[in-house]
Every structure is written in C-alpha cells, then in structure tokens.
C-alpha cells in the first residue's frame, strides 16, 4: 500500500464494531489508523493498522493523531459508569475528539450512535448519545451519524453471546417483564458496511442501522435457547428482580452483566428502527450457522475495557 493511499481513522479497531469497520476499509484498499486505550491488545488487525493511544488529556496530541486523515469513524463510548469512567466523561471526550478532527482537517466524521437517542431521555446512555450527536453537528465538519439497534455477530459479540452462555449453564433464564417489547438486531458486518457507505454521502446524513428481522425479545431468547439446545424454563420477572438477578450473576462472573438502565431501554422498545432495514444478515439465519460456537465462553466487559489498561 503506497503512502499516497488515503488514510482513515477508526477508533477501537482492536475492539468490537471498530474492528469490522477497519477490516471493511482495508478490504477496500484504504489505509487505517486506530485510536485506542489498548494499543497492544492481541488482534488479527495489529499488523495492518497504525496505532495511536487516545489522548483525551492533550488536545494537541489528539489532533496530531488525526493529521492527514480523510474520514474519522468514531465508535468511542462507554456502556456504564464505572470507577473513573462515566457517561459525563465520555461526552466530554467525544467533544474533544470532534474538535481535534476539525483542527486536523479531517474531511468527514462517521459517528456510531444508537437508535432513538433523546436529550429528554431519563437514561444516561440515550441522553448522552443525543448530546454527543448535537456536539458533532456543531463541530462544523461534515458528518454521517449511523444509529445501530443492537449488534450481534463477530468474535467480540457481548450481548447475544452472553445470553447463549447463560442459557447453556444456568437452569432457568429470567427475562424482564413479559418479553413482548420489540428488538431488531443488526449484524456487526452490516453496521460496518452501512458506516463505510455513509462516508460517501455528499451532505450531512443520519441513518439507522437495523437488521431485517424484528421480533419480541422473548422470541429472540427462544431462538437462542433452541440454538444452544437449552431446555430450561424462561421466566418473566419484574424489572427490579431482573436487576437484582443480573447483579448477582455479575458478582459470580466478575462483570456488569446488564444494568437497570439497559433493562429499561430494552423494555421501552428503543432498540428498533421505523425505517426500512439497511441490515441484510438475518439474526435467525446467523444463529443457525453458529449453534456450536455461540456462548461457549463468557464475554466479560470489565476484563475487556478495564483490566490491563496501560
Ligand atoms: N454493541 C452494541 O450492541 C451496540 C448497540 C447500539 C449502539 N452501539 C454503539 O456502537 C458503538 C461501538 O460499540 P461497540 O460495542 O463496538 O464498542 P467497543 O468496541 O466495546 O468500544 C468502542 C470504543 O470505545 C472504547 N471504550 C469502550 N468502553 C470503554 C470504557 N469503559 N472506557 C474507555 N473506553 C472505552 C473502546 O476502547 P478500546 O479501543 O481501548 O477497546 C473502543 O475504542 C458505541 O458508540 C455504542 O454506543 C453498540
């Protein structure tokens, strides 16, 4: 690859969605640089990607890491407040990243958000996402906002993988409420494709990234249960009981399995899109193809993002 090949930055290229976006860009013949808190994480893309550490402590260094870059693909966000990590800090860091990109002359920012963000949301995740989108719109750099529902697939899948892991090992599976609220999972490769396509827009753009299948949450659980051959009962429980059960499991596995806010967001039906789906990979078909691998080991968010950080 020559030094004249255009370079893109993908945050988190050794993490989940960022690795799929980076791989998609490399496959298109682009050069890729990443920003990450884990520059030495073992990953199949290590040798193909230039690596810089996130420098949220130093605006000049952050801008330097974005110099000469065509498009910034931003996946940076946090799932919950933990220790020094908070939604408030993540909003501020996102703002710094956008201004650093503007300062460095980045042509376009493709920003990964979430479906149904709202400044009025009582949920810090969805409210924070709306605040970050608004900060991006005020940056003055061309942008494409891509709003995924719930990601599945790939080696670093957390949510579906851990549902499968629990179904394989725990005799009873609890779901919050009656499970009738809708979900519309989108494959991580579809998200990557939608992001790369969104970078080609002429104007500013906001699009949802949702999969082709929309179903009640209880049906999604039933599909995963059948895929892993579980015969345990699926029982509806009140959200507070679900929160307590998730906390208890979290103590056992040393992780934050599911937060109260995530349960509320799920039950409020926020992980769906009313637009025609842009995702093509059907959840049920993908599941059929991954019955032996899914949930064979637990994906631990705390180990992933908080252990061994340099
Ligand atoms: N996963 C889903 O189901 C889902 C659904 C809807 C929307 N989204 C959105 O999609 C985007 C990417 O999600 P993802 O699941 O692909 O994320 P991810 O790969 O786990 O992380 C994306 C980036 O954020 C950094 N990061 C994550 N947690 C962090 C923490 N606690 N402290 C500091 N940095 C942290 C990662 O750092 P490192 O590079 O150091 O790992 C990485 O650079 C996010 O904006 C998310 O809101 C995800």
């Amino acid at each position: 690859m020559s030094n004249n090949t255009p370079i893109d930055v993908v945050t988190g290229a050794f993490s989940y969605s960022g690795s799929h976006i980076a791989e998609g860009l490399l496959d298109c013949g682009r050069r890729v640089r990443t920003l990450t808190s884990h520059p030495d994480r073992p990953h199949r893309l290590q040798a193909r990607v230039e690596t810089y550490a996130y420098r949220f402590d130093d605006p000049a260094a952050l801008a330097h890491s974005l110099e000469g870059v065509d498009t910034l693909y931003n996946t940076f966000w946090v799932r919950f407040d933990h220790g020094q990590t908070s939604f408030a800090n993540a909003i501020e860091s996102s703002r710094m990243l956008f201004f650093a990109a503007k300062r460095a002359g980045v042509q376009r920012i493709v920003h990964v958000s979430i479906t149904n963000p709202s400044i009025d949301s009582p949920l810090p995740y969805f409210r924070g996402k709306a605040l970050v989108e608004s900060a991006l719109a005020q940056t003055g750099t061309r942008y494409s906002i891509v709003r995924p529902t719930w990601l599945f697939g790939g080696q670093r899948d957390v949510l579906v993988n851990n549902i499968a892991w629990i179904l394989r090992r725990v005799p009873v599976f609890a779901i919050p409420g009656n499970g009738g609220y809708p979900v519309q999972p989108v494959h991580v490769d579809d998200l990557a494709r939608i992001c790369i396509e969104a970078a080609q827009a002429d104007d500013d753009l906001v699009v949802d990234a949702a999969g082709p299948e929309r179903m009640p949450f209880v049906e999604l659980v039933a599909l995963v249960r059948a895929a892993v051959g579980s015969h345990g009962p699926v029982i509806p429980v009140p959200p507070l009981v679900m929160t307590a059960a998730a906390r208890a499991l979290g103590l056992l596995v040393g992780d934050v399995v599911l937060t109260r806010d995530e349960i509320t967001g799920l039950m409020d039906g926020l992980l769906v899109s009313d637009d025609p789906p842009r995702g093509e990979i059907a959840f049920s078909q993908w599941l059929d193809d991954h019955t032996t691998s899914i949930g064979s080991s637990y994906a631990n968010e705390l180990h992933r993002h908080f252990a061994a950080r340099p």
Side-chain angles (χ1 to χ4, degrees):
M1 205 174 284
S2 95
N3 275 346
N4 296 329
T5 309
I7 187 156
D8 298 317
V9 160
V10 182
T11 60
F14 309 141
S15 197
Y16 185 32
S17 57
S19 76
H20 291 258
I21 297 170
E23 199 150 33
L25 290 167
L26 289 164
D27 289 350
C28 296
R30 312 276 301 184
R31 278 165 67 205
V32 175
R33 180 183 297 166
T34 193
L35 308 185
T36 175
S37 302
H38 295 85
D40 300 321
R41 180 183 281 148
H43 193 278
R44 64 183 186 283
L45 295 184
Q46 272 286 358
R48 302 175 68 197
V49 167
E50 254 178 57
T51 304
Y52 283 67
Y54 282 125
R55 292 299 307 273
F56 295 126
D57 59 324
D58 183 341
L62 193 58
H64 173 66
S65 64
L66 291 158
E67 274 166 14
V69 166
D70 210 35
T71 303
L72 163 65
Y73 293 83
N74 178 39
T75 68
F76 174 78
W77 192 238
V78 300
R79 233 188 84 197
F80 40 74
D81 288 348
H82 183 80
Q84 304 288 311
T85 298
S86 67
F87 287 116
N89 288 344
I91 294 166
E92 197 41 45
S93 297
S94 303
R95 276 204 187 99
M96 288 181 68
L97 184 63
F98 300 152
F99 280 106
K102 162 108 179 142
R103 184 172 162 182
V106 169
Q107 299 296 303
R108 177 175 290 269
I109 300 173
V110 176
H111 172 67
V112 181
S113 185
I114 194 160
T115 39
N116 303 300
S118 168
I119 303 272
D120 300 323
S121 175
L123 302 173
Y125 192 116
F126 286 83
R127 179 176 150 72
K129 283 291 198 184
L131 290 170
V132 172
E133 286 193 6
S134 160
L136 174 58
Q138 287 165 24
T139 307
T141 298
R142 277 266 173 251
Y143 65 86
S144 307
I145 293 172
V146 179
R147 295 171 167 169
T149 48
W150 162 345
L151 299 178
F152 70 92
Q155 285 179 359
R156 291 177 71 86
D157 175 350
V158 173
L159 298 175
V160 174
N161 180 78
N162 288 351
I163 290 174
W165 186 86
I166 293 167
L167 281 162
R168 282 185 193 279
R169 284 165 185 78
V170 182
V172 171
F173 191 89
I175 55 167
N178 65 11
Y181 35 85
V183 290
Q184 193 175 352
V186 61
H187 194 280
V188 66
D189 282 338
D190 276 333
L191 171 69
R193 175 184 51 77
I194 294 163
C195 286
I196 292 168
E197 287 170 4
Q200 303 307 316
D202 292 325
D203 298 320
D204 296 334
L205 178 76
V206 182
V207 291
D208 285 350
E213 291 179 325
R214 181 173 177 149
M215 64 192 83
F217 178 66
V218 67
E219 194 178 314
L220 179 142
V221 171
L223 286 172
V224 181
R225 180 173 172 268
V228 301
S230 161
H231 298 291
V234 175
I235 53 163
V237 298
L240 278 179
V241 174
M242 186 72 203
T243 306
R247 251 188 222 141
L249 182 61
L251 287 175
L252 282 175
V253 295
D255 193 17
V256 176
V257 175
L258 194 63
T259 68
R260 184 177 173 167
D261 284 349
E262 287 171 333
I263 292 168
T264 307
L266 182 63
M267 294 182 76
D268 284 352
L270 298 177
L271 302 179
V272 294
S273 167
D274 290 332
D275 295 349
R278 290 181 174 77
E280 292 168 358
I281 301 170
F283 178 74
S284 55
Q285 180 61 53
W286 171 85
L287 207 49
D288 281 350
D289 296 339
H290 292 83
T291 50
T292 45
S293 57
I294 185 168
S296 52
S297 60
Y298 182 80
N300 190 308
E301 183 86 23
L302 285 189
H303 289 177
R304 196 170 279 188
H305 289 302
F306 295 91
R309 193 184 292 179

